[in-house]
Structure formats: C-alpha cells, structure tokens
Amino acid sequence: MTIGATNGDHEYDRATAVKQFDESKIGVKGLVDSGATTIPPFFIHPPEALPISTSSTAPPVSELIPVVDLTGVDSDRRSRIVEQIRNASREFGFFQIINHGVPSDVINSTIDAIKAFNEQPTEVKSQYYTRDMGRGVFFATNFDLYKSKAATWRDTVHVRFSPTAPEIEDIPEILRREILEWDQHTRRLGEVLMETLSEGLGVKSERFKELSCLEGRVMAAHYYPYCPQPDLTLGIESHTDPGLLTVLLQNHIGGLQVKHDDEWLDVKPVPDALVINIGNILQIFSNDEFKSVEHRVLAHSCREPRISIAIFMDPGKMEQLYGPLPELTSPENPAVFRQFTLVEYFKRFVTKELDGKSLINFFRL
Ligand code: OGA
Ligand code: NI
C-alpha cells in the first residue's frame, strides 16, 4: 500500500495513513520525489477552507500591503517611518520593509541553505526528522500533523535560538553558518522594529526590550515543494502567529495571503524585502490597537520550491505575567485581555491545531 492511499474497499484509515507517512520521515518533498501524482487524502481540506478561484476581473488588491522604506530610520525620517509602521500595524497587521540593512548576499545565502538542506537525500534529512519539540532543532512535516483536521503541503526546520541556544552540533552543518548569521541580522532588525512599534504606541522605545522580547527567538524555515493538486490543499492553513512579531523572508514564488476586511490579499514578493507581521502577544500588549491578522499560504504547482524563513520573536520570560501594557489602559480604556504567563499561553498553543483567532480570544476579558 502506498502512503496515504485508500485501501481497496476498506474505509480510509486516516490515523494509520498519517502515522505511516510520519514514520517514513520522507516529508512532502519525499512524496513528490517518489513521483506522486495525487496527494494523500489526509492533505485534502474541506472546500470552505480552500481558496475559490477568482476571475481576473478582481481588482489588483495585491498592492495594498504597505511597503515601508527604512532608509534613515535614525534620522529626521524616523517619525514618518514610525507613523507608517503604526498605520500598517493597525490596519493590516502586516507590512514589508525595504532598505533594512540586511545585505542581499546574506538573504540569498540563507534561502539557498534552506533549499540545500531540504534537497539532500532522504537518508540524510531523516536523521533530523522528529516531533520532539523539547530539542532546540527539529525537522518535520507540520508541527501539528496529529492535531489538525487536514495536513498541509510543507516541510519545516525549526531552530530555537533563544532563550536557550541550541547545541551547535545539533544544527545541520549544511545550514549552520547561514542561519546563525540570519539570527544575528534579524535580532538587530527586531530591535529597530520593536523600538519603532513602541514609539507608534506612544510608549518608551525600550519597552519591548525590557519585557525580554528580544530573548525568545525561534526560526521556522519552510520548504513548500511542487504540489500535484494545489487546489485541494494549502501550504499553511489560515492562522495568526502567537508571538510578539514575525520577521519573514520569502523567495520569489509567492502564495502568502493576508485576511483584510474578509478578503484575502497577496503579499507579493518584493526582491530583498522582509515581511513583518504583528503576533497575538503584541495585539494583547497594545490592548487591541495593533492587529494580529489571519494569514495562509497557498499550495502551488511550480517546479521550483517556495521557501520562506520565519523568525518568531516572543518574550523570553516564561513565568512572568504578561497582559496589556498598563500605560495603554485607563478607566476610560480598560484592559480587554487578562494577564497570563507564557507557560500557560504556549501550552494552549501547542495542544491545539494551528487556527484563526481562538488562541487570542481565549485570553480576552
Ligand atoms: C508562519 C507563516 C508564512 C510563509 O510560519 O507562521 O505564516 O510565508 N509562514 O511561510
Ligand atoms: Ni504565520
């Protein structure tokens, strides 16, 4: 029996098919390499979760996600940049940044390293395939494979950089130097973004740094290969990001979409740009001023893979109580979320499937 195929007259045993696929450790890339011309049924999403093919008369909404030019962020342009970031964070929860200071060759070598890792022989990659999230490094198809109602078409390398750094030898050598360098660049950029976001909220620049928000850094590097039936599945289902903010690098394939006024907008790849989005924790800190918005990635049938590298930035102190910033609340503008520790928050995040707004709404008063 091939992985995930329906077994003659027997009813499709989804749980067995998922387990068999997972234990094979071949990933979706392995299914493609084995010549699959259909996707296993456990990847098929119900029609309401799938994009409806729109006619070409639709307006060019893809231009709407703001692009912010960071040139002169430490000069007199800063107030203009802060205003653009604030407006984008309120209205879309997403923006792209250009002229952010990360060199093009660093961007290209990071993407190439993720590609090279995924394009190694299965025997090499499968050594890293695990669901043991306690490890600093893990590679798997869908971290929520056993919890989600339908699987999605991507393989992901996760590395936790901080607060506990991984054992260097645990990071696959093929991408080690590149991702460690990427962490350094995005940490520096994260600091600039956190300052401008604080200023946009009208709180002091160092506020997020003081709340340890540069200390929780996790990478999820995704490989979205060719999909033989891209209309039946997704690359990543609609969700919001749990943390403070996400810095995302995508290659040129495209497919990332953001929900805005009940419409899905494309986040068009812009050369050398980085995509920034507000996570649930920042929506909570800002007491609902900034929006953590639902987004998804479409599956695609390009022969070239889509590659994206997300750096999730979270506060690093697991036992501390977090909630709306006190300076943003008042008797007239009361807190709309309760306080919680990150232990409680992430426990809830990992025990359920990736989905829309239910995580943040759980903490809403
Ligand atoms: C994520 C995510 C988008 C992408 O990892 O949370 O939304 O483009 N990724 O891969
Ligand atoms: Ni996301």
Side-chain angles (χ1 to χ4, degrees):
M1 175 178 156
T2 55
I3 287 170
T6 30
N7 190 5
D9 336 344
H10 296 107
E11 209 178 303
Y12 179 60
D13 181 350
R14 182 178 193 278
T16 305
V18 168
K19 189 157 182 284
Q20 200 180 30
F21 164 73
D22 196 39
E23 287 176 356
S24 75
K25 301 181 181 239
I26 66 170
V28 289
K29 169 79 164 72
L31 292 177
V32 176
D33 291 345
S34 71
T37 53
T38 56
I39 64 174
F42 64 85
F43 283 95
I44 300 178
H45 287 246
E48 63 277 13
L50 291 165
I52 327 155
S53 310
T54 45
S55 72
S56 55
T57 53
V61 287
S62 53
E63 308 298 331
L64 285 176
I65 300 295
V67 176
V68 179
D69 184 346
L70 288 191
T71 304
V73 69
D74 289 320
S75 74
D76 54 5
R77 275 199 78 236
R78 189 176 184 91
S79 57
R80 176 81 193 108
I81 293 170
V82 166
E83 188 188 322
Q84 287 176 347
I85 289 179
R86 182 188 55 216
N87 292 343
S89 304
R90 281 180 171 165
E91 165 93 12
F92 296 95
F94 263 80
F95 52 96
Q96 302 211 53
I97 53 173
I98 54 170
N99 298 317
H100 40 63
V102 184
S104 259
D105 58 334
V106 172
I107 290 183
N108 295 334
S109 53
T110 307
I111 291 174
D112 290 348
I114 301 303
K115 184 165 187 282
F117 172 81
N118 283 278
E119 295 180 358
Q120 296 176 107
T122 299
E123 312 81 82
V124 179
K125 268 191 309 185
S126 61
Q127 296 170 47
Y128 297 100
Y129 193 100
T130 172
R131 294 194 178 275
D132 179 0
M133 292 195 191
R135 303 224 323 224
V137 181
F138 75 99
F139 169 60
T141 300
N142 301 184
F143 77 95
D144 59 350
L145 185 68
Y146 290 96
K147 293 179 195 115
S148 61
K149 292 182 199 76
T152 45
W153 205 253
R154 73 180 189 290
D155 297 328
T156 305
V157 189
H158 296 86
V159 178
R160 171 168 283 285
F161 293 115
S162 175
T164 315
E167 296 293 336
I168 293 297
E169 314 76 68
D170 286 349
I171 307 178
E173 203 179 337
I174 196 164
L175 46 69
R176 190 182 294 161
R177 188 180 57 78
E178 289 81 1
I179 65 163
L180 290 172
E181 193 174 346
W182 190 248
D183 176 48
Q184 290 311 305
H185 281 285
T186 50
R187 188 196 176 284
R188 181 192 55 74
L189 198 56
E191 187 165 0
V192 174
L193 289 165
M194 285 180 206
E195 286 172 5
T196 51
L197 287 160
S198 313
E199 290 165 33
L201 286 171
V203 301
K204 67 172 179 173
S205 307
E206 305 77 37
R207 194 65 167 104
F208 294 131
K209 192 175 182 178
E210 284 173 8
L211 285 167
S212 77
C213 297
L214 284 163
E215 287 163 36
R217 302 191 308 280
V218 179
M219 177 191 83
H222 306 293
Y223 186 95
Y224 301 88
Y226 161 85
C227 179
Q229 295 177 297
D231 298 337
L232 298 183
T233 189
L234 287 160
I236 196 166
E237 67 272 44
S238 177
H239 68 283
T240 56
D241 290 354
L244 186 89
L245 63 90
T246 305
V247 176
L248 182 105
L249 168 60
Q250 60 170 339
N251 74 347
H252 58 283
I253 301 291
L256 173 60
Q257 297 188 321
V258 173
K259 207 173 200 175
H260 181 259
D261 292 343
D262 282 328
E263 227 187 326
W264 287 100
L265 309 182
D266 296 325
V267 183
K268 215 176 78 172
V270 171
D272 287 350
L274 295 170
V275 180
I276 310 300
N277 67 287
I278 306 303
N280 292 340
I281 299 267
L282 184 47
Q283 178 169 344
I284 293 171
F285 282 174
S286 76
N287 205 31
D288 259 353
E289 179 156 351
F290 289 171
K291 300 288 183 284
S292 165
V293 166
E294 285 183 71
H295 53 286
R296 68 181 183 191
V297 175
L298 307 182
H300 69 85
S301 56
C302 302
R303 282 291 165 182
E304 267 187 278
R306 175 171 191 272
I307 289 165
S308 67
I309 298 139
I311 301 283
F312 302 116
M313 301 197 178
D314 312 318
K317 300 216 174 8
M318 297 300 283
E319 311 288 344
Q320 189 171 316
L321 278 176
Y322 291 106
L325 299 181
E327 56 273 50
L328 297 179
T329 62
S330 63
E332 301 77 52
N333 189 24
V336 295
F337 297 99
R338 70 169 171 87
Q339 294 198 318
F340 52 85
T341 66
L342 294 182
V343 175
E344 181 190 4
Y345 183 79
F346 283 111
K347 197 185 268 171
R348 193 161 166 87
F349 174 69
V350 298
T351 49
K352 52 189 278 310
E353 68 176 314
L354 202 58
D355 71 355
K357 300 290 290 186
S358 70
L359 180 66
I360 194 166
N361 287 337
F362 182 75
F363 297 96
R364 200 175 275 283
L365 287 167

